[in-house]
Amino acid sequence: MSNGAQNARSSAHHAIAGRAELFNVVDAGKRMRPADGNAVVAVLAVDDAGKAAGNCTDRVGVTAQIDGLEDGIDVVVGVDEAPEGRHEDVGDEAGVRHGYPGITIKFTEANIHEETASLAKGYEAICAFVNADLSTPVIEELNAQGVKLILMRCAGYNNVDLETAHKFGMKVLRVPGYSPEAVAEHAMALALTANRHTHKAYIKCRENNFSLSGLMGLNFYQKTAGIIGTGKIGQAMAKICKGFGMRVIAYDLFPNKSLDYLEYVSLDELLATSDLISLHCPLTEETKHIINEETIAKMKDGVILVNTSRGGLIKTEDLISGIRDHKFFAVGLDVYEEETDFVFEDMSERILQSSITQRLLSFPNVVMTSHQGFFTKEALTNIAETTLENAKAFMDRNELKNEVLS
């Protein structure tokens, strides 16, 4: 597209600069087909090293093809391998539209941080994920580039300097509830895997080793599940635990008395009586390192701990000490403190500069996954739909129901 054409379009469209990572086409089940004809949702993935998965096989395991779509927003769904930071322009010639007229999307391979914030020049909005750097200097640079809207494709916003953003008059919108069941189901999957050693059993059987050595687990039935944080995800986890025949207790700074399938208790009581503790609270000043040496000491011996919320909820050094002291029967982690630099990245050919993650992986009773709790077709569809609805509300000057306030 020529510069003149771009300028003409910019006067008629509200533009969004966003990273392609984990962004999907709305209503993809009807409009997008992989080579085998089955519907897909996630259609593009790009890694921070600058290698684009143009046919989606790296991240999603499918190759997307484009059918004729309805008139609406233009979307890029494939990127060739290119140097880091290259922009993929999304215009009428792309032939891909969402049904959100007036919103133009441009994907970039680079994640958002201080050195790449200038790529947002000429755009009113950026679209970011949990691993984006939206600290003070980045917000200042985005403001200098004319950005007025930050669209978060997630529920959490602890990586956003809200005070600085609001000082510049920027709006910050999030996706508060894309699929709480997706995260809760993954939390239970981690708990079951860590407890029953299914990951080890799988490897053993592949090697024709059918011994039961090292595979002893515990019943969840009639045990006590402690849920810290009873938002939508915590509620979904509580229902799952209830279905396992567990007694469910919970702690939250703001108890929801309408929930009749759990019992609210103090944090100390939850720690002292729970056989399974699952974290589902946001990362705030009050909750940072809520799991630390002191709270670990209050837990039952042989407890199972699961975290699918934010890595900063656990003080990792204290967790490692607790594991070494045989405090935990098992630990399941989908998030961890130092994940920011390599979340969603293939680091298999690199030497990690910090040893914390490697130390956690060295323990036989620790199971770790790569921040994938949200990663289901249903959740990705909800994320894209809500993000685009947030952009449309901003563009149409409607109520911003998902706005994050200071």
Side-chain angles (χ1 to χ4, degrees), residues 345-353 358:
E345 297 303 322
D346 182 358
M347 306 293 288
S348 59
E349 300 296 326
R350 307 185 199 180
I351 297 174
L352 299 183
Q353 296 303 306
Q358 293 299 320

Side-chain angles (χ1 to χ4, degrees), residues 20-28 32 40-44 75 77 98 105 107 153 376-385 388:
E21 177 73 60
L22 304 179
F23 203 99
N24 64 303
V25 169
V26 177
D27 202 14
M32 301 205 61
V40 300
V41 175
V43 298
L44 183 63
V75 182
V77 295
H98 272 288
I105 298 176
F107 293 121
R153 300 193 304 278
T376 66
K377 291 181 179 181
E378 293 84 356
L380 289 180
T381 299
N382 292 338
I383 288 171
E385 289 174 340
L388 289 169

Side-chain angles (χ1 to χ4, degrees), residues 182-197:
V183 181
E185 288 170 9
H186 190 71
M188 181 52 80
L190 276 175
L192 288 170
T193 299
N195 174 28
R196 299 303 299 269
H197 314 291

Side-chain angles (χ1 to χ4, degrees), residues 176 179-185 187 225-242 248-252 256 259 261-262 264 278-282 308-309:
S179 179
E181 291 77 18
V183 181
E185 288 170 9
I227 311 299
I228 299 181
T230 55
K232 293 182 179 180
I233 298 173
Q235 292 174 35
M237 182 61 173
K239 292 177 182 177
I240 291 173
C241 292
K242 198 73 172 178
V248 182
I249 60 176
Y251 169 76
D252 196 295
N256 184 345
L259 306 179
Y261 46 85
L262 57 81
Y264 281 103
S278 192
L279 305 181
H280 299 287
C281 51
T308 55
S309 185

Side-chain angles (χ1 to χ4, degrees), residues 38-103:
N38 294 323
V40 300
V41 175
V43 298
L44 183 63
V46 180
D47 66 28
D48 281 337
K51 179 182 177 183
N55 63 2
C56 310
T57 54
D58 268 8
R59 301 294 176 89
V60 191
V62 295
T63 299
Q65 297 176 339
I66 308 305
D67 297 329
L69 307 184
E70 300 172 6
D71 288 342
I73 191 169
D74 301 326
V75 182
V76 155
V77 295
V79 183
D80 294 326
E81 186 165 333
E84 182 173 356
R86 192 185 80 175
H87 280 55
E88 277 300 314
D89 191 33
V90 187
D92 288 334
E93 69 272 23
V96 184
R97 294 184 173 87
H98 272 288
Y100 286 84
I103 301 175

Side-chain angles (χ1 to χ4, degrees), residues 6 37 94 209-210 227 326 384:
Q6 285 181 325
N209 180 355
F210 302 103
I227 311 299
H326 303 280

